[in-house]
Amino acid sequence: MLELRDRIAAIDRALQDEQEVEFPRRPDTPVRHSLDHRFDKTAPEVDAAPAPTPAQEKPNSFESLDSPSEKRYYDSIAAAYGLGILDEDEFIEYVVYDAFITNLRICPVHLTDSGHYYYVEHRSFLPHVPGVILRHGTDKQGKCLGVAHLPLTGANTFGVGDFEASPLSVKWEKMENTGFWTHMKYKLVHELDNGEERVFNWIRTRNNILDDQGDLVLVQEGKEELVFAEYLGKGLLKWKKRGRLRIREMKTFGETWELVVLLTWASVVELSRRRARVRRYSPTHLIGI
């Protein structure tokens, strides 16, 4: 084994000649590794690690300073399914308030928009009487814009028009529950002004805590990536304000499109609240089953 003096001399000569010096070692001496693994010599039989793909590379934080921030989904679990509202500029947003007993008052977020105030009158379990009446304005005295019949059995029907003044002028369309055990989806067929029929679905995306109605989205059947309306309830934190409703502006669908959305949404909400009242006051609920 070389003496310390000889090692120092060999290192001094190597530094002068810029050469690499290898000292002999015993066969049973383990290979010494540096504290930094990047300076360890890799055995020639070991393949080098593959270069990272563009997806695996870490983004440069300086490049993201000037880049526009991505729009996030509206606060809804619908985003987990690829749904949600991204282009906020194409929607009219409303705030939904509780009115007399089970009635609802729908007001636009922008208070200057005086033409989009609606009042929803709910009537429960009355024969031959509409279960939902949509009125213009903020109270029961407003003009009737449409009604919906919600019978105990059979399909639900809705129609746009003044049912109180001229009931024969109302054109009726159907909306039905597509599930057998659940009420997650309601299907409606609506005829546009150009005569084309399209199928839409109200889909429940989340059950709010201690609320009789969960969040909803309205999509076209087969094209669920485009959301036409979205309702977000307040859940446990509601007092007078029940939630927010957003409706996409679709001028190509005709002037009655917004009324159809409001009528069908109010029908789904009333059906859900009826089931909640039945569960709340059923005998099985009273005895704790």
Side-chain angles (χ1 to χ4, degrees):
M1 186 174 182
L2 296 177
E3 297 294 338
L4 179 58
R5 186 183 305 170
D6 299 334
R7 286 174 174 267
I8 295 175
I11 294 174
D12 187 27
R13 290 193 301 271
L15 292 176
Q16 295 178 1
D17 300 337
E18 296 183 358
Q19 296 179 358
E20 185 176 353
V21 180
E22 294 185 0
F23 299 99
R25 62 180 180 87
R26 297 178 182 178
D28 55 347
T29 304
V31 179
R32 180 180 178 181
H33 292 275
S34 61
L35 296 179
D36 194 336
H37 65 86
R38 293 177 299 174
F39 296 97
D40 295 335
K41 292 184 178 181
T42 306
E45 62 272 8
V46 178
D47 296 333
T53 61
Q56 296 173 344
E57 291 182 350
K58 295 183 179 180
N60 189 351
S61 57
F62 293 98
E63 294 179 355
S64 59
L65 293 178
D66 298 332
S67 59
S69 59
E70 297 181 358
K71 292 185 178 180
R72 295 190 175 185
Y73 286 97
Y74 201 71
D75 184 15
S76 173
I77 202 170
Y81 300 95
L83 304 176
I85 292 177
L86 292 176
D87 42 355
E88 301 178 2
D89 297 337
E90 298 182 3
F91 287 82
I92 301 178
E93 187 167 357
Y94 299 93
V95 181
V96 183
Y97 297 92
D98 280 324
F100 178 73
I101 306 178
T102 60
N103 298 343
L104 301 174
R105 186 175 288 109
I106 306 172
C107 304
V109 173
H110 303 288
L111 300 180
T112 57
D113 189 359
S114 59
H116 290 83
Y117 283 86
Y118 301 98
Y119 189 87
V120 177
E121 187 177 352
H122 286 141
R123 299 178 180 179
S124 301
F125 305 114
L126 296 177
H128 309 293
V129 175
V132 176
I133 301 178
L134 179 66
R135 301 184 181 276
H136 183 268
T138 58
D139 51 29
K140 296 181 181 179
Q141 307 304 322
K143 178 184 177 181
C144 177
L145 301 177
V147 296
H149 287 280
L150 310 176
L152 294 175
T153 58
N156 309 305
T157 57
F158 66 93
V160 176
D162 193 349
F163 179 77
E164 298 175 341
S166 55
L168 297 179
S169 63
V170 178
K171 182 180 180 180
W172 299 99
E173 296 176 320
K174 291 184 178 182
M175 184 184 70
E176 57 183 354
N177 177 31
T178 60
F180 183 76
W181 295 103
T182 64
H183 297 265
M184 296 289 295
K185 182 188 295 185
Y186 279 87
K187 173 183 176 182
L188 61 105
V189 181
H190 175 57
E191 183 178 351
L192 305 180
D193 290 352
N194 57 5
E196 179 185 359
E197 287 189 351
R198 295 194 182 185
V199 181
F200 299 92
N201 293 317
W202 276 108
I203 302 175
R204 186 173 64 201
T205 58
R206 178 174 60 183
N207 290 322
N208 294 321
I209 301 176
L210 299 180
D211 196 356
D212 50 12
Q213 175 58 53
D215 295 348
L216 298 167
V217 290
L218 178 65
V219 295
Q220 184 177 346
E221 191 171 90
K223 299 180 180 179
E224 285 77 8
E225 66 277 1
L226 181 63
V227 176
F228 291 96
E230 185 175 38
Y231 169 70
L232 302 174
K234 294 288 289 184
L236 181 62
L237 302 178
K238 69 176 183 294
W239 178 243
K240 293 292 290 185
K241 184 186 297 184
R242 292 194 60 89
R244 292 206 171 194
L245 177 66
R246 310 178 77 188
I247 302 176
R248 182 185 291 273
E249 294 180 335
M250 299 296 297
K251 297 181 180 179
T252 57
F253 283 9
E255 298 179 356
T256 62
W257 167 247
E258 185 179 32
L259 302 180
V260 170
V261 175
L262 290 171
L263 263 178
T264 55
W265 165 79
S267 301
V268 175
V269 170
E270 173 60 18
L271 290 171
S272 177
R273 297 169 77 176
R274 287 184 182 182
R275 295 191 302 270
R277 289 194 291 268
V278 170
R279 293 192 301 268
R280 188 179 303 118
Y281 300 110
S282 63
T284 56
H285 178 270
L286 295 177
I287 63 178
I289 296 180

